[in-house]
Amino acid sequence: MIFEKRSTLILLLNVAIPFEILLVTSSVGALHSTFFGVYLFTIHKGNKRANRMLGFLLLVFTARIIKSVSYYFAEDHSISPLVENIGYAANLAIFPLLWFYLHLFMVKDRDFRWLKGGIHLLPSILVLFFSPALGPDFWLKQNGYTFSLIIMGAYIPFCLHIVKKNLQSISFIRQKWIISLTAGVTLVWLAYAANFFSGLVSYITGPVIFSFVIYYMSYMGLKHNSIFHQEDRYKNSSFTAMEIDQCFEKLDKLMETGMPYRDVKLTLPNLAKQLMVSPNLLSQTINQRTKMNFPDFINSYRVRYALELLNSPAHCTHKISAIAYDTGFNTLSAFNTAFRKFTQMTPSGFRKRSVQVKP
C-alpha cells in the first residue's frame, strides 16, 4: 500500500492540494455524515425501516472514514489498535448495509430480520469480537485488508442487480437518489482499492470523495425530502376498509371468472364500470390490496394466463405472438417486457424449459 508523508502539499489524483484543506475536507465530511445518519433515525413517517438502515449505513461509513483520516494524518500512521479494528470492521459492514437498504427502499413489501440478515455482517462482527487479538500485522502483512476489500467488492454486482431490476418501479427523483448513493459508495471503494492494489491514487482520496458524496446526498435529501417522508397517498380517503374489502372481493371474482384482462382495450374506468364501483375506489383497492398499480395488476393476470397457455400441450404449436394477443397484450414487445418482469425469463425461454422438464 502506498502512503504519502505529511507535507505542506499532498498529491490527490495527481493534483497538489494543501495539507490543511485535505484535513478539513475529509474530517468535516465524516462529521456531516454523523449528523445526517442520526437525523434519519428521527424520521417517523415514510419507510422507517429503509431510513433507519440508511442512517446505520452512514454511521458505519463514518467510523470507517474516521479511521482512515486518523491513520493518514497521524504521525508515522500510528493510531490506537481499537480505532483501527473498528474502522476495518466498519469497512466490512458497508456494502452489506447498502444491500439491505436497496432492498428496503426499492423492493415492495421487503422486510428485514436482523437474525437472518446478520450472516452478511458476520465478518464485521467477528473483527469486533477478536479485536484485542488483531494487530496491524493482520491487516497489512497477513492480507486482512486485502480480504476485506475483495469481500466488499463482491457485493457490488448484487447491489447493481437490485438497482437495475427495480429501477423502473420508482419515481425519477428516487431513481436519481438510489443511483447516486450506489455510485458514490462504489466510487469510495474503488478509491481505496486503487490505492491499495496499485497506488494510483492517494489513500486520502477515499475520505475526500466520501465528503463530496455525503454533501451531494444531503443536498438531494433537503431538496426532495419526500425521499424520506413519503406518506400514504390515501390517508385522507373517504373510502372505508369495508368498502375496500367488498370491492376487492368483487374484483377478485371477476378476474377469475370473467377474465376481463384479455380485453386489449381494458382501462381502469371500464373495469370499474363492470364492477359498478367508482374508478377512485377501484384504484385505491388495487394499490392497497395488491401493492401494484393498475397496469401491473392487469399484466400480472395476463402473464399468469400466458404461463398456462405456454405450458399447455394444446398450445405447444401456437406462436408466442398469438399467445401474447390472446392474453390481452396489444404488442409482442409489451408482452415480453411484462413477462420478464414477473417471471425473470423470456416467454421462449419458459417454453423451452417447460418442454425439457416434461416426461
Side-chain angles (χ1 to χ4, degrees), residues 336-356:
N336 288 330
T337 300
F339 197 93
R340 283 196 299 268
K341 180 175 183 178
F342 288 101
T343 67
Q344 285 74 56
M345 65 176 64
T346 63
S348 58
F350 175 81
R351 171 173 270 177
K352 289 179 182 178
R353 193 184 73 169
S354 178
V355 171
Q356 291 175 353

Side-chain angles (χ1 to χ4, degrees), residues 231-240 243 280 284 288:
E231 298 182 1
D232 184 2
R233 59 185 293 192
Y234 300 114
K235 183 176 64 174
N236 299 319
S237 172
S238 60
F239 299 117
T240 65
E243 289 176 309
N280 289 339
Q284 182 173 340
Q288 289 188 331

Side-chain angles (χ1 to χ4, degrees), residues 3-4 6 10 68-74 77 202-204:
F3 296 107
E4 305 82 352
R6 293 179 57 170
I10 298 176
S68 296
V69 174
S70 301
Y71 184 90
Y72 185 82
F73 290 105
H77 302 304
S202 167
Y203 181 72
I204 200 63

Side-chain angles (χ1 to χ4, degrees), residues 258-270:
M259 303 176 73
Y261 51 84
R262 296 183 63 185
D263 181 2
V264 176
K265 298 181 180 180
L266 182 66
T267 63
L268 179 66
N270 290 340

Side-chain angles (χ1 to χ4, degrees), residues 11 14 31-32 35 50 62 72 82 111 122 130 147 206 213 224 231 241 244 271 276 284 324 333 341 348:
L11 289 177
N14 296 320
L31 180 63
H32 185 78
F35 284 114
T62 298
Y72 185 82
L82 178 61
D111 200 358
L122 186 59
F130 290 105
F147 176 76
V213 170
H224 307 286
E231 298 182 1
I244 297 294
L271 185 59
M276 293 184 290
Q284 182 173 340
S333 62
K341 180 175 183 178
S348 58

Side-chain angles (χ1 to χ4, degrees), residues 92-93 96 117-130 155:
L92 286 165
I119 187 67
H120 296 275
L121 298 174
L122 186 59
S124 179
I125 295 171
L126 288 175
V127 168
L128 290 176
F129 183 79
F130 290 105
Y155 275 88

